[in-house]
Coordinates of all heavy atoms in Angstrom, one line a residue:
M1 N -17.0 -11.5 -11.7 CA -16.2 -10.9 -12.7 C -16.1 -11.8 -14.0 O -16.0 -13.0 -13.9 CB -14.7 -10.7 -12.2 CG -13.8 -9.9 -13.1 SD -14.4 -8.2 -13.4 CE -14.2 -7.4 -11.8
F2 N -16.2 -11.1 -15.1 CA -16.2 -11.9 -16.4 C -14.7 -12.0 -16.9 O -13.9 -11.1 -16.7 CB -17.0 -11.1 -17.4 CG -18.4 -11.0 -17.1 CD1 -18.9 -10.0 -16.4 CD2 -19.3 -12.0 -17.5 CE1 -20.3 -9.9 -16.1 CE2 -20.7 -12.0 -17.3 CZ -21.1 -10.9 -16.5
K3 N -14.5 -13.2 -17.5 CA -13.2 -13.3 -18.2 C -13.4 -14.3 -19.4 O -14.3 -15.1 -19.4 CB -12.1 -13.8 -17.2 CG -12.2 -15.2 -16.8 CD -11.0 -15.6 -16.0 CE -10.7 -17.0 -16.1 NZ -9.5 -17.5 -15.5
R4 N -12.5 -14.1 -20.3 CA -12.6 -14.9 -21.5 C -12.2 -16.4 -21.3 O -11.3 -16.6 -20.4 CB -11.7 -14.4 -22.6 CG -12.2 -13.1 -23.2 CD -11.3 -12.7 -24.4 NE -11.6 -11.4 -24.9 CZ -12.6 -11.1 -25.7 NH1 -13.5 -12.1 -26.1 NH2 -12.8 -9.9 -26.1
L5 N -12.8 -17.3 -22.0 CA -12.3 -18.7 -22.0 C -10.9 -18.7 -22.7 O -10.6 -17.8 -23.5 CB -13.3 -19.6 -22.7 CG -14.7 -19.6 -22.1 CD1 -15.6 -20.4 -23.0 CD2 -14.7 -20.2 -20.7
D6 N -10.1 -19.7 -22.4 CA -8.8 -19.7 -22.9 C -8.8 -19.7 -24.5 O -8.0 -18.9 -25.1 CB -8.1 -21.0 -22.5 CG -7.8 -21.0 -21.0 OD1 -7.8 -19.9 -20.4 OD2 -7.5 -22.1 -20.4
E7 N -9.6 -20.4 -25.1 CA -9.7 -20.4 -26.6 C -10.0 -19.0 -27.1 O -9.4 -18.5 -28.1 CB -10.7 -21.4 -27.1 CG -10.8 -21.4 -28.6 CD -9.5 -21.7 -29.4 OE1 -8.6 -22.3 -28.8 OE2 -9.4 -21.3 -30.5
A8 N -11.0 -18.3 -26.5 CA -11.4 -17.0 -26.9 C -10.2 -16.0 -26.7 O -10.0 -15.1 -27.5 CB -12.6 -16.5 -26.1
Q9 N -9.5 -16.2 -25.6 CA -8.3 -15.4 -25.3 C -7.2 -15.5 -26.4 O -6.7 -14.6 -26.9 CB -7.7 -15.7 -23.9 CG -6.6 -14.8 -23.5 CD -7.1 -13.3 -23.4 OE1 -8.2 -13.1 -23.0 NE2 -6.2 -12.4 -23.6
R10 N -7.0 -16.8 -26.8 CA -6.0 -17.0 -27.9 C -6.5 -16.3 -29.2 O -5.7 -15.8 -29.9 CB -5.8 -18.5 -28.1 CG -4.9 -19.2 -27.1 CD -4.5 -20.6 -27.6 NE -5.6 -21.5 -27.5 CZ -6.0 -22.1 -26.4 NH1 -5.3 -21.9 -25.2 NH2 -7.0 -22.9 -26.4
Q11 N -7.8 -16.4 -29.5 CA -8.3 -15.8 -30.7 C -8.1 -14.2 -30.7 O -7.8 -13.6 -31.7 CB -9.8 -16.1 -30.9 CG -10.0 -17.5 -31.3 CD -11.5 -17.8 -31.3 OE1 -12.4 -17.0 -31.1 NE2 -11.8 -19.1 -31.6
T12 N -8.3 -13.7 -29.5 CA -8.1 -12.2 -29.4 C -6.6 -11.8 -29.6 O -6.4 -10.8 -30.3 CB -8.5 -11.8 -27.9 OG1 -9.8 -12.1 -27.7 CG2 -8.3 -10.3 -27.7
Q13 N -5.7 -12.7 -29.2 CA -4.3 -12.3 -29.3 C -3.8 -12.6 -30.8 O -2.9 -12.0 -31.2 CB -3.5 -13.1 -28.3 CG -3.8 -12.7 -26.9 CD -3.2 -13.6 -25.8 OE1 -2.9 -14.8 -26.1 NE2 -3.2 -13.1 -24.6
S14 N -4.4 -13.6 -31.5 CA -3.9 -13.9 -32.8 C -4.4 -12.9 -33.9 O -3.6 -12.6 -34.8 CB -4.4 -15.3 -33.2 OG -5.8 -15.4 -33.3
A15 N -5.6 -12.4 -33.8 CA -6.0 -11.4 -34.7 C -6.9 -10.3 -34.0 O -8.1 -10.3 -34.1 CB -6.9 -12.1 -35.8
P16 N -6.2 -9.5 -33.3 CA -7.0 -8.5 -32.4 C -7.7 -7.4 -33.3 O -7.2 -7.0 -34.3 CB -5.9 -7.9 -31.5 CG -4.6 -8.0 -32.3 CD -4.8 -9.3 -33.1
V17 N -8.8 -7.0 -32.7 CA -9.4 -5.8 -33.2 C -9.2 -4.7 -32.2 O -9.5 -5.0 -31.0 CB -11.0 -6.0 -33.4 CG1 -11.7 -4.8 -33.8 CG2 -11.2 -7.1 -34.5
R18 N -8.6 -3.6 -32.6 CA -8.3 -2.6 -31.6 C -9.3 -1.5 -31.6 O -9.6 -0.9 -32.7 CB -6.9 -2.0 -31.9 CG -5.8 -3.0 -31.6 CD -4.4 -2.5 -32.0 NE -3.4 -3.5 -31.8 CZ -3.1 -4.4 -32.7 NH1 -3.7 -4.4 -33.9 NH2 -2.1 -5.3 -32.5
V19 N -9.9 -1.2 -30.4 CA -10.8 -0.1 -30.3 C -10.3 0.8 -29.1 O -9.3 0.4 -28.4 CB -12.2 -0.6 -29.9 CG1 -12.7 -1.5 -31.0 CG2 -12.3 -1.3 -28.6
T20 N -10.8 2.0 -29.0 CA -10.5 2.8 -27.8 C -11.8 2.9 -26.9 O -12.9 3.0 -27.5 CB -10.0 4.2 -28.1 OG1 -11.0 4.9 -28.8 CG2 -8.7 4.1 -28.9
V21 N -11.6 2.8 -25.6 CA -12.7 2.9 -24.7 C -12.3 4.1 -23.7 O -11.4 4.0 -23.0 CB -12.9 1.6 -23.9 CG1 -14.1 1.8 -22.9 CG2 -13.2 0.4 -24.8
N22 N -13.1 5.1 -23.9 CA -12.8 6.3 -23.1 C -11.3 6.7 -23.2 O -10.6 7.1 -22.3 CB -13.1 6.2 -21.6 CG -14.6 5.9 -21.4 OD1 -15.4 6.4 -22.1 ND2 -14.9 4.9 -20.5
G23 N -10.8 6.6 -24.5 CA -9.4 7.0 -24.8 C -8.4 5.9 -24.6 O -7.2 6.1 -25.0
A24 N -8.7 4.8 -23.9 CA -7.7 3.8 -23.7 C -7.9 2.7 -24.7 O -9.0 2.3 -25.0 CB -7.9 3.2 -22.3
E25 N -6.8 2.2 -25.2 CA -6.9 1.1 -26.2 C -7.3 -0.2 -25.6 O -6.9 -0.5 -24.5 CB -5.5 0.9 -26.9 CG -5.6 -0.1 -28.1 CD -4.4 -0.3 -28.8 OE1 -3.9 0.7 -29.5 OE2 -3.8 -1.4 -28.8
L26 N -8.2 -0.9 -26.3 CA -8.6 -2.2 -25.8 C -8.6 -3.2 -27.0 O -9.0 -2.9 -28.1 CB -10.1 -2.1 -25.3 CG -10.7 -3.4 -24.9 CD1 -10.0 -4.0 -23.7 CD2 -12.2 -3.2 -24.6
Q27 N -7.9 -4.4 -26.8 CA -7.9 -5.4 -27.8 C -9.1 -6.3 -27.7 O -9.4 -6.8 -26.6 CB -6.6 -6.2 -27.7 CG -5.4 -5.6 -28.2 CD -4.2 -6.5 -28.3 OE1 -4.4 -7.7 -28.2 NE2 -3.1 -5.9 -28.6
C28 N -9.8 -6.5 -28.8 CA -11.0 -7.3 -28.8 C -10.9 -8.4 -29.8 O -9.9 -8.5 -30.5 CB -12.2 -6.4 -29.3 SG -12.4 -4.9 -28.4
R29 N -11.8 -9.3 -29.8 CA -11.9 -10.4 -30.7 C -12.8 -10.1 -31.8 O -13.9 -9.5 -31.6 CB -12.3 -11.7 -29.9 CG -12.2 -12.9 -30.7 CD -12.6 -14.1 -29.9 NE -14.0 -13.9 -29.4 CZ -14.8 -15.0 -29.1 NH1 -14.3 -16.2 -29.1 NH2 -16.0 -14.7 -28.7
Q30 N -12.4 -10.5 -33.1 CA -13.3 -10.3 -34.2 C -14.6 -10.9 -33.9 O -14.7 -12.1 -33.5 CB -12.7 -10.9 -35.4 CG -13.4 -10.7 -36.7 CD -13.3 -9.3 -37.2 OE1 -12.2 -8.7 -37.1 NE2 -14.3 -8.7 -37.8
G31 N -15.7 -10.2 -34.1 CA -17.1 -10.8 -33.8 C -17.6 -10.5 -32.5 O -18.8 -10.7 -32.2
D32 N -16.8 -9.9 -31.6 CA -17.3 -9.5 -30.3 C -18.3 -8.4 -30.4 O -18.1 -7.5 -31.3 CB -16.1 -8.9 -29.4 CG -15.4 -10.0 -28.6 OD1 -15.8 -11.2 -28.6 OD2 -14.3 -9.6 -28.1
S33 N -19.3 -8.4 -29.6 CA -20.1 -7.2 -29.5 C -19.4 -6.2 -28.6 O -18.4 -6.5 -27.9 CB -21.5 -7.5 -28.8 OG -21.3 -7.8 -27.5
V34 N -19.8 -4.9 -28.7 CA -19.1 -3.9 -27.9 C -19.3 -4.2 -26.4 O -18.4 -4.1 -25.6 CB -19.7 -2.5 -28.2 CG1 -19.3 -1.5 -27.2 CG2 -19.3 -2.1 -29.6
A35 N -20.5 -4.7 -26.0 CA -20.8 -5.0 -24.6 C -19.9 -6.2 -24.2 O -19.3 -6.1 -23.1 CB -22.2 -5.4 -24.5
A36 N -19.7 -7.2 -25.0 CA -18.8 -8.3 -24.6 C -17.4 -7.9 -24.5 O -16.7 -8.3 -23.6 CB -18.9 -9.4 -25.7
A37 N -17.0 -7.0 -25.4 CA -15.6 -6.5 -25.4 C -15.4 -5.7 -24.1 O -14.3 -5.7 -23.5 CB -15.3 -5.7 -26.6
L38 N -16.4 -4.9 -23.7 CA -16.2 -4.1 -22.5 C -16.1 -5.0 -21.3 O -15.3 -4.8 -20.4 CB -17.4 -3.1 -22.3 CG -17.5 -2.0 -23.3 CD1 -18.8 -1.2 -23.2 CD2 -16.4 -1.1 -23.2
F39 N -17.0 -6.0 -21.2 CA -16.9 -7.0 -20.1 C -15.5 -7.6 -20.1 O -14.8 -7.7 -19.0 CB -17.9 -8.0 -20.2 CG -19.2 -7.7 -19.6 CD1 -20.4 -8.2 -20.1 CD2 -19.3 -6.8 -18.5 CE1 -21.7 -7.8 -19.5 CE2 -20.5 -6.5 -17.9 CZ -21.7 -7.0 -18.4
A40 N -15.0 -8.1 -21.2 CA -13.7 -8.8 -21.3 C -12.6 -7.8 -20.9 O -11.6 -8.3 -20.4 CB -13.5 -9.3 -22.7
G41 N -12.8 -6.5 -21.1 CA -11.8 -5.6 -20.8 C -11.9 -5.0 -19.4 O -11.2 -4.1 -19.0
G42 N -12.8 -5.6 -18.6 CA -13.0 -5.2 -17.2 C -13.8 -3.9 -17.0 O -13.9 -3.4 -15.9
V43 N -14.5 -3.5 -18.1 CA -15.4 -2.3 -17.9 C -16.8 -2.8 -17.6 O -17.4 -3.6 -18.3 CB -15.5 -1.5 -19.2 CG1 -16.4 -0.3 -19.1 CG2 -14.1 -1.1 -19.7
Q44 N -17.3 -2.5 -16.4 CA -18.6 -3.0 -15.9 C -19.7 -2.0 -16.2 O -20.8 -2.4 -16.5 CB -18.5 -3.2 -14.4 CG -17.5 -4.2 -14.0 CD -17.7 -5.6 -14.5 OE1 -18.8 -6.1 -14.4 NE2 -16.7 -6.2 -15.2
A45 N -19.5 -0.7 -16.2 CA -20.5 0.3 -16.4 C -20.2 1.0 -17.7 O -19.1 1.4 -18.0 CB -20.6 1.3 -15.3
C46 N -21.2 1.1 -18.6 CA -21.0 1.8 -19.9 C -21.8 3.1 -20.0 O -21.6 3.8 -21.0 CB -21.3 0.9 -21.0 SG -22.9 0.2 -21.0
R47 N -22.7 3.4 -19.1 CA -23.4 4.6 -19.1 C -23.8 5.0 -17.7 O -23.8 4.2 -16.8 CB -24.6 4.5 -20.0 CG -25.8 3.7 -19.4 CD -27.0 3.7 -20.4 NE -28.1 2.9 -19.8 CZ -29.2 3.4 -19.3 NH1 -29.3 4.7 -19.3 NH2 -30.1 2.7 -18.9
D48 N -24.3 6.3 -17.6 CA -24.9 6.7 -16.3 C -26.3 7.1 -16.7 O -26.6 7.7 -17.8 CB -24.2 7.9 -15.7 CG -22.8 7.6 -15.3 OD1 -22.5 6.4 -15.0 OD2 -21.9 8.5 -15.2
T49 N -27.3 6.8 -15.8 CA -28.7 7.1 -16.1 C -28.9 8.6 -16.3 O -28.2 9.4 -15.8 CB -29.6 6.5 -15.0 OG1 -29.3 7.2 -13.8 CG2 -29.5 5.0 -14.9
A50 N -29.9 8.9 -17.1 CA -30.2 10.3 -17.4 C -30.7 11.1 -16.2 O -30.4 12.3 -16.1 CB -31.3 10.3 -18.5
V51 N -31.4 10.5 -15.3 CA -32.0 11.3 -14.2 C -31.1 11.4 -13.0 O -30.8 12.4 -12.5 CB -33.4 10.6 -13.8 CG1 -34.0 11.4 -12.6 CG2 -34.3 10.7 -15.0
N52 N -30.7 10.2 -12.5 CA -29.9 10.2 -11.3 C -28.4 9.9 -11.5 O -27.6 9.9 -10.5 CB -30.4 9.1 -10.3 CG -31.8 9.5 -9.8 OD1 -32.1 10.7 -9.7 ND2 -32.7 8.5 -9.7
E53 N -28.0 9.7 -12.7 CA -26.6 9.5 -13.1 C -26.0 8.3 -12.3 O -24.9 8.3 -11.8 CB -25.7 10.7 -12.9 CG -26.2 11.9 -13.8 CD -25.4 13.1 -13.8 OE1 -24.4 13.2 -13.0 OE2 -25.7 14.0 -14.5
V54 N -26.8 7.2 -12.2 CA -26.4 6.0 -11.6 C -25.7 5.1 -12.7 O -26.2 5.0 -13.8 CB -27.6 5.2 -11.1 CG1 -27.2 3.9 -10.5 CG2 -28.3 6.1 -10.0
P55 N -24.6 4.5 -12.4 CA -23.9 3.7 -13.4 C -24.7 2.4 -13.8 O -25.3 1.8 -12.9 CB -22.6 3.2 -12.6 CG -22.5 4.0 -11.4 CD -23.9 4.6 -11.1
R56 N -24.7 2.1 -15.0 CA -25.4 1.0 -15.6 C -24.5 0.2 -16.5 O -23.6 0.8 -17.1 CB -26.7 1.4 -16.4 CG -27.6 2.2 -15.6 CD -28.3 1.5 -14.4 NE -29.2 0.5 -14.9 CZ -30.0 -0.1 -14.1 NH1 -30.0 0.1 -12.8 NH2 -30.8 -1.0 -14.6
G57 N -24.7 -1.1 -16.5 CA -23.9 -1.9 -17.4 C -24.7 -2.9 -18.2 O -25.9 -3.1 -17.8
P58 N -24.2 -3.5 -19.2 CA -25.0 -4.5 -20.0 C -25.6 -5.6 -19.0 O -25.0 -6.0 -18.1 CB -23.9 -5.1 -20.9 CG -22.8 -4.1 -21.0 CD -22.8 -3.4 -19.7
Y59 N -26.8 -5.9 -19.3 CA -27.6 -6.9 -18.5 C -28.1 -8.1 -19.3 O -27.7 -9.2 -19.0 CB -28.7 -6.2 -17.8 CG -29.5 -7.0 -16.9 CD1 -28.9 -7.5 -15.7 CD2 -30.8 -7.4 -17.2 CE1 -29.6 -8.4 -14.9 CE2 -31.5 -8.2 -16.3 CZ -30.9 -8.7 -15.2 OH -31.6 -9.6 -14.4
C60 N -28.9 -7.8 -20.3 CA -29.5 -8.9 -21.0 C -28.7 -9.5 -22.2 O -28.8 -10.6 -22.5 CB -30.9 -8.5 -21.6 SG -30.8 -7.3 -23.0
M61 N -27.8 -8.6 -22.7 CA -26.9 -9.0 -23.8 C -27.7 -9.5 -25.1 O -27.2 -10.2 -25.9 CB -25.9 -10.1 -23.4 CG -25.0 -9.7 -22.3 SD -23.9 -8.3 -22.7 CE -22.6 -9.2 -23.6
M62 N -29.0 -9.0 -25.2 CA -29.7 -9.4 -26.4 C -30.7 -8.3 -26.9 O -31.7 -8.6 -27.5 CB -30.5 -10.7 -26.1 CG -31.5 -10.6 -25.0 SD -32.3 -12.3 -24.8 CE -33.6 -11.8 -23.7
G63 N -30.4 -7.1 -26.6 CA -31.1 -6.0 -27.1 C -32.4 -5.6 -26.5 O -33.2 -4.9 -27.1
V64 N -32.6 -6.0 -25.3 CA -33.9 -5.8 -24.6 C -33.9 -4.7 -23.5 O -34.7 -3.8 -23.5 CB -34.5 -7.1 -24.0 CG1 -35.8 -6.8 -23.3 CG2 -34.7 -8.1 -25.1
C65 N -32.8 -4.7 -22.7 CA -32.9 -3.8 -21.5 C -32.3 -2.4 -21.7 O -32.6 -1.5 -20.9 CB -32.1 -4.5 -20.4 SG -30.3 -4.5 -20.7
Y66 N -31.6 -2.2 -22.7 CA -31.0 -0.9 -23.0 C -30.0 -0.3 -21.9 O -29.8 0.8 -21.9 CB -32.1 0.2 -23.4 CG -32.7 -0.1 -24.7 CD1 -33.7 -1.1 -24.8 CD2 -32.3 0.6 -25.8 CE1 -34.3 -1.3 -26.1 CE2 -32.9 0.4 -27.1 CZ -33.9 -0.6 -27.2 OH -34.5 -0.8 -28.4
D67 N -29.5 -1.2 -21.1 CA -28.6 -0.8 -20.1 C -27.1 -0.7 -20.7 O -26.2 -0.4 -20.0 CB -28.6 -1.7 -18.9 CG -29.7 -1.4 -18.0 OD1 -30.2 -0.2 -18.1 OD2 -30.1 -2.2 -17.2
C68 N -27.0 -1.1 -21.9 CA -25.7 -1.1 -22.6 C -25.4 0.1 -23.5 O -24.5 0.0 -24.3 CB -25.5 -2.4 -23.4 SG -26.7 -2.5 -24.7
L69 N -26.2 1.1 -23.3 CA -26.0 2.3 -24.3 C -24.7 2.9 -24.1 O -24.2 3.2 -23.0 CB -27.2 3.3 -24.0 CG -28.6 2.8 -24.3 CD1 -29.6 3.9 -24.0 CD2 -28.7 2.3 -25.8
V70 N -24.0 3.2 -25.2 CA -22.7 3.8 -25.2 C -22.7 4.8 -26.4 O -23.6 4.8 -27.3 CB -21.6 2.8 -25.4 CG1 -21.3 2.0 -24.2 CG2 -21.8 1.9 -26.6
T71 N -21.7 5.6 -26.4 CA -21.5 6.5 -27.5 C -20.4 5.9 -28.4 O -19.3 5.5 -27.9 CB -21.0 7.9 -27.1 OG1 -22.1 8.5 -26.3 CG2 -20.7 8.8 -28.2
I72 N -20.7 5.6 -29.6 CA -19.8 5.0 -30.6 C -19.5 6.0 -31.7 O -20.4 6.4 -32.4 CB -20.3 3.7 -31.1 CG1 -20.6 2.7 -30.0 CG2 -19.4 3.1 -32.2 CD1 -21.2 1.4 -30.4
D73 N -18.2 6.3 -31.9 CA -17.8 7.2 -32.9 C -18.7 8.5 -32.9 O -19.1 9.0 -34.0 CB -17.8 6.5 -34.3 CG -16.8 5.4 -34.4 OD1 -15.8 5.5 -33.7 OD2 -17.1 4.5 -35.2
G74 N -18.9 9.0 -31.7 CA -19.7 10.2 -31.6 C -21.2 10.1 -31.6 O -21.9 11.1 -31.4
Q75 N -21.7 8.9 -31.9 CA -23.2 8.7 -32.0 C -23.6 8.1 -30.6 O -23.2 7.0 -30.3 CB -23.5 7.7 -33.1 CG -23.4 8.3 -34.5 CD -24.5 9.2 -34.8 OE1 -25.6 9.2 -34.2 NE2 -24.4 9.9 -35.9
A76 N -24.5 8.9 -29.9 CA -24.9 8.5 -28.6 C -26.0 7.4 -28.8 O -26.6 7.2 -29.9 CB -25.5 9.7 -27.8
N77 N -26.4 6.8 -27.6 CA -27.5 5.8 -27.6 C -27.3 4.6 -28.5 O -28.3 4.1 -29.1 CB -28.8 6.5 -27.8 CG -29.2 7.4 -26.7 OD1 -28.7 7.3 -25.6 ND2 -30.2 8.2 -26.9
Q78 N -26.1 4.1 -28.6 CA -25.9 2.9 -29.4 C -25.9 1.7 -28.5 O -25.3 1.7 -27.4 CB -24.5 3.0 -30.1 CG -24.4 4.2 -31.0 CD -25.4 4.2 -32.2 OE1 -25.4 3.3 -33.0 NE2 -26.1 5.3 -32.2
Q79 N -26.6 0.7 -28.9 CA -26.7 -0.5 -28.0 C -25.4 -1.3 -28.2 O -25.2 -1.9 -29.2 CB -27.9 -1.4 -28.4 CG -29.2 -0.9 -27.9 CD -30.4 -1.8 -28.3 OE1 -30.8 -1.8 -29.4 NE2 -30.8 -2.6 -27.3
G80 N -24.7 -1.4 -27.1 CA -23.4 -2.1 -27.2 C -23.5 -3.6 -27.4 O -22.7 -4.2 -28.1
C81 N -24.6 -4.2 -27.0 CA -24.8 -5.6 -27.2 C -25.2 -6.0 -28.6 O -25.1 -7.2 -29.0 CB -25.7 -6.2 -26.2 SG -27.4 -5.7 -26.4
M82 N -25.6 -5.0 -29.3 CA -26.1 -5.3 -30.7 C -25.2 -4.7 -31.8 O -25.5 -4.8 -32.9 CB -27.5 -4.7 -30.9 CG -28.5 -5.1 -29.9 SD -28.8 -6.9 -29.9 CE -29.7 -7.1 -31.4
T83 N -24.0 -4.3 -31.3 CA -23.1 -3.7 -32.3 C -21.7 -4.4 -32.2 O -21.2 -4.6 -31.1 CB -22.8 -2.2 -31.9 OG1 -24.1 -1.5 -31.8 CG2 -21.9 -1.5 -32.9
A84 N -21.3 -4.9 -33.3 CA -20.0 -5.6 -33.4 C -18.8 -4.6 -33.4 O -18.9 -3.5 -33.9 CB -19.9 -6.5 -34.6
V85 N -17.7 -5.0 -32.7 CA -16.6 -4.1 -32.7 C -15.9 -4.1 -34.1 O -16.1 -5.1 -34.8 CB -15.5 -4.6 -31.7 CG1 -16.0 -4.4 -30.3 CG2 -15.1 -6.0 -31.9
R86 N -15.3 -3.0 -34.4 CA -14.5 -3.0 -35.7 C -13.3 -2.1 -35.4 O -13.3 -1.3 -34.5 CB -15.3 -2.4 -36.8 CG -15.8 -1.0 -36.7 CD -16.6 -0.6 -37.9 NE -17.6 0.4 -37.5 CZ -17.4 1.5 -36.9 NH1 -16.2 1.9 -36.6 NH2 -18.4 2.3 -36.5
E87 N -12.3 -2.4 -36.2 CA -11.0 -1.7 -36.0 C -11.1 -0.2 -35.9 O -11.8 0.4 -36.8 CB -10.0 -2.1 -37.1 CG -8.6 -1.6 -37.0 CD -7.9 -2.3 -35.8 OE1 -8.2 -3.5 -35.5 OE2 -6.9 -1.7 -35.3
G88 N -10.5 0.4 -34.9 CA -10.5 1.9 -34.8 C -11.8 2.5 -34.2 O -11.9 3.7 -34.1
M89 N -12.7 1.6 -33.8 CA -14.0 2.1 -33.2 C -13.6 2.9 -31.9 O -12.8 2.5 -31.1 CB -14.9 1.0 -32.9 CG -16.2 1.3 -32.3 SD -17.2 -0.1 -32.0 CE -18.1 -0.3 -33.5
K90 N -14.3 4.1 -31.8 CA -14.1 4.9 -30.6 C -15.4 4.8 -29.7 O -16.4 5.3 -30.1 CB -13.9 6.3 -31.0 CG -13.5 7.3 -29.9 CD -13.3 8.7 -30.5 CE -13.1 9.6 -29.3 NZ -13.0 11.0 -29.8
I91 N -15.2 4.1 -28.6 CA -16.3 3.9 -27.6 C -16.2 4.8 -26.4 O -15.1 4.8 -25.8 CB -16.4 2.4 -27.2 CG1 -16.4 1.5 -28.4 CG2 -17.5 2.1 -26.2 CD1 -16.0 0.1 -28.2
E92 N -17.2 5.4 -26.1 CA -17.2 6.3 -24.9 C -18.4 6.0 -24.0 O -19.5 5.8 -24.4 CB -17.2 7.8 -25.3 CG -16.0 8.2 -26.1 CD -16.1 9.5 -26.8 OE1 -16.8 9.6 -27.8 OE2 -15.7 10.5 -26.2
R93 N -18.1 6.2 -22.7 CA -19.2 6.0 -21.7 C -20.2 7.1 -21.9 O -19.8 8.3 -22.1 CB -18.6 6.1 -20.3 CG -19.6 5.9 -19.2 CD -18.9 5.7 -17.9 NE -19.8 5.6 -16.8 CZ -19.6 5.0 -15.7 NH1 -18.3 4.5 -15.5 NH2 -20.4 4.9 -14.7
Q94 N -21.5 6.8 -21.9 CA -22.5 7.8 -22.0 C -22.9 8.4 -20.7 O -23.3 7.6 -19.8 CB -23.7 7.2 -22.7 CG -24.7 8.2 -23.1 CD -25.7 7.6 -24.1 OE1 -25.3 7.2 -25.2 NE2 -27.0 7.7 -23.8
L95 N -22.7 9.7 -20.5 CA -22.9 10.3 -19.3 C -24.3 11.1 -19.3 O -24.4 12.1 -20.0 CB -21.8 11.3 -19.0 CG -20.4 10.7 -19.0 CD1 -19.3 11.7 -18.8 CD2 -20.3 9.6 -17.9
G96 N -25.2 10.6 -18.5 CA -26.5 11.3 -18.4 C -27.3 11.2 -19.7 O -27.1 10.3 -20.5
A97 N -28.2 12.2 -19.8 CA -29.0 12.2 -21.0 C -28.3 12.6 -22.3 O -27.3 13.3 -22.2 CB -30.2 13.2 -20.8
R98 N -28.8 12.1 -23.3 CA -28.2 12.4 -24.6 C -28.4 13.9 -24.9 O -29.4 14.5 -24.6 CB -28.9 11.6 -25.7 CG -28.5 11.9 -27.1 CD -29.2 11.0 -28.1 NE -28.8 11.3 -29.4 CZ -29.5 10.9 -30.5 NH1 -30.6 10.2 -30.4 NH2 -29.1 11.3 -31.7
K99 N -27.4 14.5 -25.5 CA -27.5 15.9 -25.8 C -28.4 16.1 -27.1 O -28.2 15.3 -28.0 CB -26.1 16.5 -26.1 CG -25.1 16.3 -24.9 CD -25.5 17.1 -23.7 CE -24.5 16.9 -22.6 NZ -24.9 15.9 -21.6
V100 N -29.2 17.1 -27.1 CA -30.0 17.4 -28.2 C -29.2 18.2 -29.2 O -28.6 19.2 -28.8 CB -31.3 18.2 -27.8 CG1 -32.1 18.6 -29.0 CG2 -32.1 17.4 -26.8
Q101 N -29.2 17.8 -30.5 CA -28.5 18.5 -31.5 C -29.4 19.4 -32.3 O -30.5 19.0 -32.7 CB -27.8 17.5 -32.5 CG -26.8 16.6 -31.8 CD -26.2 15.6 -32.7 OE1 -26.7 15.3 -33.7 NE2 -25.0 15.1 -32.3
A102 N -29.0 20.6 -32.4 CA -29.9 21.6 -33.1 C -29.8 21.4 -34.6 O -28.8 20.9 -35.2 CB -29.5 23.0 -32.7
Ligands
FES1 S1 -27.4 -5.5 -22.7 FE1 -29.6 -5.3 -22.7 S2 -30.0 -4.2 -24.5 FE2 -27.9 -4.4 -24.5

């Protein structure tokens, strides 16, 4: 299980960035990636695979594996490890394949 170091926890509490994850508020640290914020908030899986709907979570944390895909502010297939949190960001678990927009 992941948890923040004490200093990082103090930084989160002194100047929090507030996002919502599947509708629940989560306090993050300025500069956190979405993937790091999800881990710190106890969220292990951020998407389900397109074919078998198996839960997947961030793995490489450097933009290579694409296991961290989430929907951010309504935009699907966003790499959580490559996207910094910002105040008011709406993060949602991505369920299955991305919907095709006409
Ligand atoms: S965790 Fe691997 S691409 Fe984001």
Side-chain angles (χ1 to χ4, degrees):
M1 187 62 66
F2 295 90
K3 70 175 209 174
R4 290 188 187 279
L5 299 174
D6 290 341
E7 177 59 25
Q9 185 63 30
R10 280 193 291 278
Q11 291 173 2
T12 301
Q13 292 166 344
S14 64
V17 175
R18 292 179 183 86
V19 301
T20 60
V21 179
N22 299 322
E25 185 175 297
L26 177 66
Q27 283 194 7
C28 311
R29 188 176 61 153
Q30 186 73 35
D32 274 351
S33 68
V34 169
L38 292 175
F39 274 150
V43 179
Q44 302 296 309
C46 58
R47 73 177 180 108
D48 294 340
T49 60
V51 177
N52 295 325
E53 299 185 355
V54 176
R56 305 295 290 190
Y59 181 69
C60 72
M61 300 296 279
M62 61 181 190
V64 176
C65 73
Y66 288 81
D67 278 341
C68 62
L69 296 179
V70 288
T71 299
I72 298 175
D73 295 333
Q75 287 283 347
N77 288 344
Q78 304 298 303
Q79 282 182 283
C81 69
M82 303 302 286
T83 306
V85 293
R86 65 180 147 61
E87 186 69 27
M89 181 180 267
K90 186 177 171 188
I91 303 162
E92 296 170 276
R93 184 171 176 155
Q94 188 165 302
L95 304 173
R98 178 181 177 192
K99 305 293 181 266
V100 176
Q101 295 177 341

